[in-house]
Amino acid sequence: MTACAIEPPSTGASDTSGTPGAGGTTGAGGGVPVAGCVLTADGAYAARLALDGDSWFPERWTLDGPEPYAVPLPGHQPEEPGTEVQPMGDGRVLIHRLVERRHAFALLYPTGPGTGELPLGTVECPEPGTRLTLLPPAPGGARAYALAVGPRAGVVWLVAGGASGPERLAEVPGLCSGGVWLDGAGRMLALDRELGGRTKTVVVDLERGEVTPLLQIAEDSDDRLLLADRDSGLLLISSDAPSPGRPRVGWGVLGSTLPVRFPECLRVPDCTVTPFAVQPEQMLMPESCAVALRVDGAFGTWLGVWRPAERRMCHLPAPEGWLRGAGLLTRDGVLRLPYATGDVPCGVAELAAPRSGTRGRGAGAGETEAVDAARPGGRGEADPQGRVREGAAAGPPGASRQATETDPPEPVAARPVPLQQAPLGGLVTK
């Protein structure tokens, strides 16, 4: 059994949270911690903006060989700090630059001592206040997408891998954010949409251009999807349903009839907890999947490892020079974290995801549950067993049930994700 630290340790990781050109994941508190680099979906390549003196330049990391190595991809002039980069599955690097109010895209690749550049075209956003950013790398690595966020609607663009230049794929009414891939084909994209003062997750079918509801816990809660694992169906979400006005990290299973749960161990006082990696290839075993989390607080930034079946989060120090928020879990539960220091400019630290040794079925100690309010209803009180009545959200932690390992969850009829309203039934093995 691995002992878990009770006091979160501080870290010696360098502060790369301000590194430009890297995407981030919305934490439970609604913030957007920025990752130090971007990895392909399979973890074979990474890309970031590196600093040489006062000049920023793209850098590609190769991570699937015996030893990681970096290839600089400098252009004819230094890049602007707001430039985005993203690795493609073939090793090229997509770069997104803002040129005279137009968003220009190109693919970079090494050509001996220099850098080759293949222009892909531009996207114009005529509506004032519109921001355009790259979405997380798509499965397969052959295509790349961007989200243009306007005051009234968001537009999803295919910016690399199309037939001829950037292609407009779908429009989503409302103020959009996030971006999580739900399938292995890169067709189903989940976005968090603010509409009518509330944020809910919707799914966009990029082939048909259709937008359908995906996640709704309560009518008056703000619900966001943080991560999804298509093998196990595990979902990591952020919602203020169990504690109005205070978002918390919870978990559910795609297509499950069990309620979304909000473990107490994922609440770290005065800290932002952001899941960034899930153990893949755990078919039909979502509760056994290891989840890697980034914890940002007054003590610095450190790592957390947690499994839904366990009642504790293990707190671990981050390796020195960790490119914060970047990393992946292998099928064997090994956490791979890219880092850069003065002595090692391109490195990958490997940590075996520990187990707390405490498992249980049902809510577990100190865990609250919440059901979705796809049916009409509002917030309410938890019942004596700590479960939320229909259309309600859990009350204070003290009202939750203290379950034992022999106490299985009682049957419930509500679904954490209203899949009857979204074309995603084939994405999960039942």
Side-chain angles (χ1 to χ4, degrees):
M1 180 174 68
T2 302
C4 299
I6 297 176
E7 291 292 338
S10 60
T11 176
S14 61
D15 187 1
T16 56
S17 60
T19 301
T25 306
T26 303
V32 186
V34 179
C37 70
V38 181
L39 278 68
T40 54
D42 61 1
Y45 295 100
R48 67 167 185 154
L49 278 190
L51 190 61
D52 181 12
D54 296 329
S55 302
W56 295 99
F57 65 92
E59 187 176 72
R60 186 199 70 191
W61 288 26
T62 300
L63 305 177
D64 61 348
E67 295 289 339
Y69 64 92
V71 176
L73 297 171
H76 299 296
Q77 61 185 20
E79 303 294 343
E80 295 294 327
T83 302
E84 288 186 298
V85 291
Q86 185 174 115
M88 304 295 292
D90 59 5
R92 293 183 292 181
V93 172
L94 173 68
I95 188 166
H96 165 215
R97 302 182 179 106
L98 184 61
V99 181
E100 296 180 353
R101 301 181 65 181
R102 293 180 301 166
H103 298 269
F105 299 90
L107 289 174
L108 306 179
Y109 53 94
T111 57
T115 301
E117 182 168 330
L118 176 64
L120 299 176
T122 61
V123 173
E124 294 191 31
C125 300
E127 190 169 10
T130 299
R131 295 178 294 106
L132 189 143
T133 56
L134 294 177
L135 286 164
R143 295 186 171 194
Y145 300 83
L147 176 65
V149 180
R152 291 185 294 272
V155 177
V156 179
W157 288 83
L158 172 65
V159 296
S164 58
E167 178 184 350
R168 181 186 175 112
L169 298 180
E171 181 172 328
V172 183
L175 187 62
C176 298
S177 60
V180 176
W181 297 102
L182 299 176
D183 65 338
R187 173 179 173 177
M188 298 296 185
L189 173 68
L191 294 174
D192 303 324
R193 176 179 67 176
E194 181 183 343
L195 196 63
R198 292 296 174 189
T199 300
K200 306 292 180 184
T201 302
V202 297
V203 61
V204 185
D205 185 331
L206 297 182
E207 286 192 7
R208 299 183 178 180
E210 298 175 349
V211 180
T212 48
L214 179 67
L215 178 64
Q216 177 174 294
I217 298 178
E219 286 187 359
D220 55 349
S221 62
D222 291 319
D223 312 315
R224 296 175 173 88
L225 183 63
L226 304 179
L227 280 181
D229 178 65
R230 62 179 181 273
D231 296 326
S232 63
L234 179 64
L235 304 177
L236 278 300
I237 68 168
S238 168
S239 176
D240 64 351
S243 52
R246 299 191 304 273
R248 290 177 55 182
V249 175
W251 69 281
V253 179
L254 198 64
S256 171
T257 58
L258 295 175
V260 172
R261 300 175 182 179
F262 296 87
E264 285 293 320
C265 64
L266 296 184
R267 297 181 68 181
V268 182
D270 302 320
C271 293
T272 299
V273 178
T274 307
F276 65 89
V278 179
Q279 183 180 2
E281 300 184 38
Q282 306 299 301
M283 304 300 295
L284 303 178
M285 296 189 299
E287 294 187 354
S288 299
C289 290
V291 178
L293 306 107
R294 166 182 171 176
V295 186
D296 295 279
F299 296 103
T301 296
W302 62 94
L303 295 166
V305 177
W306 164 83
R307 290 176 173 84
E310 298 175 355
R311 299 173 183 173
R312 284 192 176 188
M313 176 170 61
C314 294
H315 297 271
L316 303 170
E320 181 183 0
W322 178 40
L323 303 180
R324 296 183 179 184
L328 60 86
L329 279 158
T330 68
R331 61 174 297 179
D332 298 321
V334 176
L335 181 58
R336 307 191 74 222
L337 303 169
Y339 70 93
T341 65
D343 296 331
V344 183
C346 175
V348 176
E350 294 190 345
L351 304 173
R355 290 183 177 271
S356 71
T358 305
R359 303 185 187 184
R361 299 178 62 188
E367 183 169 315
T368 60
E369 299 182 349
V371 300
D372 73 294
R375 298 185 294 268
R379 299 186 187 272
E381 298 292 336
D383 63 19
Q385 294 181 331
R387 184 167 283 109
V388 182
R389 291 194 288 266
E390 178 179 337
S400 60
R401 177 171 58 122
Q402 304 296 315
T404 65
E405 292 192 15
T406 59
D407 186 15
E410 297 181 7
V412 291
R415 292 176 178 267
V417 179
L419 291 183
Q420 70 274 15
Q421 303 175 28
L424 296 172
L427 298 184
V428 134
T429 304
K430 298 187 177 180

